[in-house]
Amino acid sequence: MNDLVTIRDRFREVNGEHPMTEADDAYAREHFRPATADQLADIAVGRLPLPAYVLSDGTPVVADISEVLAAAGGVAELHDWFVEFWPGDPATAEFEWDTFLSGQYVCLRTLDPITIRRRAVLLDQAQAAVDALRADPRDELAQGSLAEAVDGGLSVAGLDELLLPMTAYDRLRFGGPTVRDLWVDMVRAEFHDPQPPPLPLRTKRLTLRRVVLEDAPVRARAWTHPDFVRYLLHPERVAAETTFETYRHCQPPPEGPHRFLGLVMEHEGEPVGNVVLFFQGAGVATAEMGWTLYPWAAGKGLATEAATELLRVAFEHYGVRRVVANLDAENQRSAALAERLGMRRESHKLADFWSKGRWTDSYEYAILRGEWEAQHCAESAPDSSRGTPAG
Ligand SMILES: CC(C)(COP(=O)(O)OP(=O)(O)OC[C@H]1O[C@@H](n2cnc3c(N)ncnc32)[C@H](O)[C@@H]1OP(=O)(O)O)[C@@H](O)C(=O)NCCC(=O)NCCS
């Protein structure tokens, strides 16, 4: 009982006096566990971290550090084991030990010295990248660095994986947004949330606009055409399917970040095809581009004209650093289009792709922002197909 009183008093000294709501209690119960009597005894004498939270009924809850204790060899060995993670830097080691003991690393999904170190490194990395991107939003190193800090990389955790959401109580005790609010949610909203350009876009012969329900009959003609679907992922569709798909495409986009721009190419008042961008990869700094032209509109350069404009939008408006196109290697017209756009064939994968009843090869084409800019600077005459946003 005395341990409990001591611990609650010390907890209040460190965190201040703030109400725990029902939601705070539920959150704390979900991510932490009530301290055992043995743990309370060690917490009271400062050998284990103070509770992460004290629930509104007075129950102290703690992070599960059983693995840390087992690796350290026990509570008595914990300090010496812990500080070894900061070799040659005793000041930081002791600072981190004190913070660990204060119970204030409640933002961490896993409370251990590796994660504590990683958090500090990633926060510094994210701060430096944010500063650089505020000065120059096209800074490619900062884009990569921020993406790694927030989203992680292959087999490497980022802040998103490390940090818990935390609670309203935390905003009170820490006096502002939580570390996750600041370094995951707000960073994503500022840097990883591409917004569509003003639409429609116009080129010399085309209007690039969102799909409307009235497009359904023309789209249905294309989707029942075997030449049109031969190299697409989807099979032929009956008219009712295309009409229903068109209806779906006309609905407001789903909640959540904008990850897809799909536009109808309209020529002389009629839809003649589509161009699309999918944003992906680290910091959504890559866009995959796709194109389809209805068979009766082929051979006039309309797909090239639309895709040229979309490439401009990808680099100039969205600021991506790389645009890719993946295609069935048998789709020679599509490969020719990628090459007309100045894209480079980066891979020819043999029989890697199951499509329409066979294993087929695939190509990946790509163009980097620097390459695209060099091509455009090299053009002495103004690009006749380049459009301007309307609206
Ligand atoms: C891939 C696809 C879009 C290519 O269409 P396309 O008609 O070859 O492309 P364009 O509209 O850019 O037209 C280019 C052709 O028009 C000619 N052309 C005429 N006027 C032109 C102009 N002003 N500018 C450029 N090209 C012009 C070009 O010489 C070229 O002809 P060629 O292939 O005989 O040399 C089309 O085949 C298609 O949609 N197929 C079905 C769906 C599909 O497979 N999509 C791709 C999935 S990866």
Side-chain angles (χ1 to χ4, degrees):
M1 192 59 196
N2 276 349
D3 287 344
L4 252 185
V5 173
T6 311
I7 289 168
R8 284 183 197 145
D9 286 350
R10 294 219 349 252
F11 182 86
R12 218 171 294 119
E13 272 166 35
V14 172
N15 295 288
E17 189 88 61
H18 305 289
M20 282 284 283
T21 64
E22 258 179 54
D24 295 325
D25 278 356
Y27 169 89
R29 278 192 194 282
E30 182 187 344
H31 297 286
F32 300 85
R33 51 174 60 176
T36 62
D38 285 351
Q39 285 170 333
L40 289 175
D42 282 322
I43 295 170
V45 295
R47 291 175 4 137
L48 281 181
L50 276 176
Y53 298 86
V54 174
L55 305 182
S56 52
D57 67 3
T59 309
V61 294
V62 294
D64 177 7
I65 56 163
S66 50
E67 195 189 17
V68 164
L69 283 171
V75 177
E77 287 75 20
L78 186 56
H79 170 268
D80 292 352
W81 177 84
F82 185 98
V83 295
E84 276 178 27
F85 286 81
W86 287 268
D89 187 0
T92 304
E94 291 303 332
F95 170 81
E96 292 295 7
W97 171 252
D98 288 345
T99 312
F100 171 74
L101 271 194
S102 76
Q104 295 221 309
Y105 272 136
V106 288
C107 58
L108 296 180
R109 223 172 265 284
T110 313
L111 182 57
D112 64 58
I114 294 180
T115 312
I116 290 172
R117 279 179 59 91
R118 183 88 186 130
R119 169 190 178 276
V121 168
L122 292 178
L123 288 180
D124 284 350
Q125 182 173 329
Q127 179 71 69
V130 162
D131 291 347
L133 285 171
R134 286 193 181 136
D136 173 9
R138 299 286 195 263
D139 182 328
E140 293 201 353
L141 287 180
Q143 283 177 338
S145 185
L146 187 61
E148 180 187 56
V150 175
D151 299 325
L154 279 181
S155 304
V156 181
L159 290 166
D160 183 30
E161 199 177 324
L162 258 47
L163 297 175
L164 283 166
M166 303 170 75
T167 66
Y169 169 82
D170 291 308
R171 291 183 189 92
L172 294 175
R173 73 164 136 179
F174 295 123
T178 68
V179 64
R180 188 183 173 89
D181 291 337
L182 285 170
W183 293 105
V184 177
D185 300 341
M186 285 155 78
V187 163
R188 281 184 175 154
E190 184 175 351
F191 298 103
H192 297 161
D193 186 19
Q195 295 298 317
L199 296 174
L201 304 166
R202 294 191 201 283
T203 67
K204 195 171 158 204
R205 294 176 292 173
L206 294 169
T207 300
L208 302 178
R209 58 158 172 82
R210 298 232 190 248
V211 69
V212 291
L213 217 46
E214 292 70 32
D215 296 335
V218 184
R219 298 181 79 227
R221 265 176 68 205
W223 279 97
T224 49
H225 204 298
D227 288 348
F228 180 72
V229 299
R230 179 161 298 123
Y231 301 117
L232 296 184
L233 299 175
H234 300 283
E236 284 174 51
R237 287 177 177 147
V238 300
E241 286 175 304
T242 308
T243 305
F244 188 30
E245 279 294 309
T246 307
Y247 168 83
R248 281 184 170 155
H249 288 312
C250 292
Q251 301 313 302
E255 289 279 311
H258 168 70
R259 292 282 180 268
F260 168 75
L261 179 70
L263 299 175
V264 170
M265 305 178 205
E266 185 184 290
H267 177 52
E268 297 176 345
E270 284 284 302
V272 292
N274 290 79
V275 274
V276 294
L277 285 176
F278 299 93
F279 303 97
Q280 52 190 226
V284 285
T286 296
E288 178 168 353
M289 178 146 67
W291 39 68
T292 54
L293 190 65
Y294 303 155
W296 51 91
K300 298 181 205 164
L302 293 175
T304 306
E305 191 169 314
T308 301
E309 173 63 358
L310 208 64
L311 210 49
R312 181 191 72 76
V313 166
F315 287 123
E316 283 190 0
H317 171 79
Y318 287 106
V320 301
R321 50 176 296 280
R322 180 175 160 87
V323 176
V324 301
N326 287 292
L327 40 125
D328 190 319
E330 285 179 18
N331 195 347
Q332 290 171 10
R333 294 193 75 88
S334 195
L337 170 50
E339 280 167 27
R340 275 197 296 281
L341 292 172
M343 300 178 89
R344 181 173 9 82
R345 188 189 299 169
E346 288 193 338
S347 72
H348 176 176
K349 295 185 198 155
L350 300 184
D352 72 314
F353 179 53
W354 175 257
S355 176
K356 308 257 157 70
R358 81 236 198 273
W359 289 105
T360 186
D361 295 5
S362 74
Y363 290 153
E364 179 160 276
Y365 279 87
I367 183 166
L368 293 168
R369 180 165 55 220
E371 294 170 319
W372 180 83
E373 284 169 353
Q375 284 174 13
H376 283 251
C377 292
E379 286 168 3
S380 46
D383 179 351
S384 59
S385 69
R386 178 170 160 172
T388 44

